[in-house]
Amino acid sequence: QVQLVESGGGLVQAGGSLRLSCAASGDTRCISQMGWYRQAPGKERELVATISSAASINYAASVKGRFTISRDNAKNTLYLQMNSLKPEDTAVYYCNAVPNVAVCSIRASWGQGTHVTVSS
């Protein structure tokens, strides 16, 4: 299995920036795609951004141009740089790792989440 630990959340004013990190451990050789998801109070979990092992990136329309996802494979760490934050970005942010099923027969992994609060 892969274990994921997020960090970097906190309270920031609208227009500010935060950088989230997600450290992966365990069967990291099995990881294919990684991503960030978020869940606001009373809402369903939604995709924020994903990045494949080939560095193909996908963003939700609501964050495109403001957020940047990146991964350091040598450090087994995923990042999310969040700029121009808005109150509607307030949520718990979760890291996700999807395995390469051709290499490993393990399930996708989720971190425990990190809280981001953007005040107006």
Side-chain angles (χ1 to χ4, degrees), residues 14-97:
S17 299
L18 281 175
R19 188 193 196 202
L20 305 183
S21 299
C22 171
S25 61
D27 292 327
T28 57
R29 66 180 179 89
C30 299
I31 296 175
S32 176
Q33 178 176 281
M34 298 190 75
W36 290 98
Y37 293 73
R38 67 186 182 186
Q39 187 166 16
K43 295 187 177 181
E44 293 187 352
R45 191 172 298 189
E46 64 177 5
L47 180 147
V48 175
T50 60
I51 182 168
S52 73
S53 55
S56 177
I57 291 173
N58 178 51
Y59 291 105
S62 59
V63 306
K64 193 173 292 185
R66 300 188 297 122
F67 291 10
T68 302
I69 189 171
S70 62
R71 63 192 284 183
D72 185 332
N73 292 323
K75 295 182 178 179
N76 293 317
T77 302
L78 179 72
Y79 301 99
L80 185 69
Q81 177 67 43
M82 305 186 294
N83 299 328
S84 302
L85 282 160
K86 305 175 181 180
E88 50 264 44
D89 294 318
T90 295
V92 179
Y93 284 70
Y94 296 92
C95 177
N96 169 260

